[in-house]
Amino acid sequence: YSGTTGENLTWELYTNGVLRINGTGAMPDYHYNKNNANAAPWAQYRAEITKVVIGAGVQNIGSFAFYQCTVLSTVEFAENATLTVINTGAFGYTAALKNITLPASLKDIDKCGFYFSGLETVAFAEGSQMTTFGECAFRDCTSLTSVFVPETVASLSGVPFYNCGSQLVLNVA
């Protein structure tokens, strides 16, 4: 399965469950309901997506892009990523996603970016430019035990780690 999304991005889903997003520019925001006309073009295959590979030219991840991808266990970012924003609910309800290392270019995780995910650890690539954790960015990530907070983050406001459990350790640079 394959197609386009946004003005200059392409997507391709392979039979092994790997979804690749390539091109340059912004990914649009999507609707969370896979039956809505504005859902991500790969939304009907959510139950098959095990890995997402984000190409270097992708500047943002649209709202609800990978929402309810319940078997998604790996997210890989290009080494020279230009990704700056993960929008609302982009990785919401991704129970199989346990660990993620976010690219150095990332600056903002919007409201509920990873809510109800299965995350246990969150790290940032060396040289992180991260500045903002949005309200409830990791809401109800009850398995979350470790987050590395880069020194570039000025403050944590809006309860980004709401209901993450008593075992969460924030490692601040």
Side-chain angles (χ1 to χ4, degrees), residues 19 30-34 39-40 42-47 49 52 61-72 87-95 112-117:
L19 174 64
Y30 305 107
H31 195 275
Y32 64 88
N33 183 333
K34 70 180 179 181
W42 50 83
Q44 65 184 341
Y45 309 111
R46 287 176 177 165
I49 299 171
V52 171
I61 295 179
S63 294
F64 303 107
F66 307 111
Y67 180 80
Q68 289 185 333
C69 288
T70 56
V71 296
L72 175 63
N87 287 329
T88 301
F91 291 96
Y93 290 91
T94 51
C112 299
F114 288 91
Y115 74 125
F116 289 98
S117 76

Side-chain angles (χ1 to χ4, degrees), residues 2-74:
S2 64
T4 60
T5 188
E7 291 185 24
N8 297 304
L9 298 179
T10 61
W11 65 276
E12 191 164 9
L13 177 61
Y14 299 88
T15 56
N16 63 358
V18 176
L19 174 64
R20 294 185 180 276
I21 314 281
N22 286 303
T24 56
M27 182 185 293
D29 290 328
Y30 305 107
H31 195 275
Y32 64 88
N33 183 333
K34 70 180 179 181
N35 298 317
N36 185 287
N38 293 320
W42 50 83
Q44 65 184 341
Y45 309 111
R46 287 176 177 165
E48 301 170 35
I49 299 171
T50 59
K51 180 178 181 178
V52 171
V53 180
I54 305 293
V58 178
Q59 295 171 351
N60 72 301
I61 295 179
S63 294
F64 303 107
F66 307 111
Y67 180 80
Q68 289 185 333
C69 288
T70 56
V71 296
L72 175 63
S73 61
T74 306

Side-chain angles (χ1 to χ4, degrees), residues 21-171:
I21 314 281
N22 286 303
T24 56
M27 182 185 293
D29 290 328
Y30 305 107
H31 195 275
Y32 64 88
N33 183 333
K34 70 180 179 181
N35 298 317
N36 185 287
N38 293 320
W42 50 83
Q44 65 184 341
Y45 309 111
R46 287 176 177 165
E48 301 170 35
I49 299 171
T50 59
K51 180 178 181 178
V52 171
V53 180
I54 305 293
V58 178
Q59 295 171 351
N60 72 301
I61 295 179
S63 294
F64 303 107
F66 307 111
Y67 180 80
Q68 289 185 333
C69 288
T70 56
V71 296
L72 175 63
S73 61
T74 306
V75 178
E76 183 179 296
F77 300 95
E79 189 174 313
N80 53 346
T82 59
L83 181 75
T84 59
V85 179
I86 295 175
N87 287 329
T88 301
F91 291 96
Y93 290 91
T94 51
L97 185 60
K98 303 296 182 193
N99 306 295
I100 194 163
T101 299
L102 297 164
S105 60
L106 185 67
K107 294 180 180 180
D108 180 29
I109 298 173
D110 204 357
K111 181 179 181 181
C112 299
F114 288 91
Y115 74 125
F116 289 98
S117 76
L119 283 174
E120 295 172 0
T121 63
V122 176
F124 291 83
E126 187 175 335
S128 177
Q129 300 173 36
M130 186 69 182
T131 59
T132 308
F133 287 102
E135 180 180 348
C136 297
F138 297 95
R139 177 185 176 179
D140 289 296
C141 294
T142 57
S143 298
L144 192 59
T145 58
S146 177
V147 177
F148 171 78
V149 179
E151 63 184 14
T152 52
V153 175
S155 67
L156 300 175
S157 61
V159 197
F161 302 101
Y162 178 79
N163 200 32
C164 285
S166 61
Q167 301 301 314
L168 176 61
V169 175
L170 297 178
N171 300 299

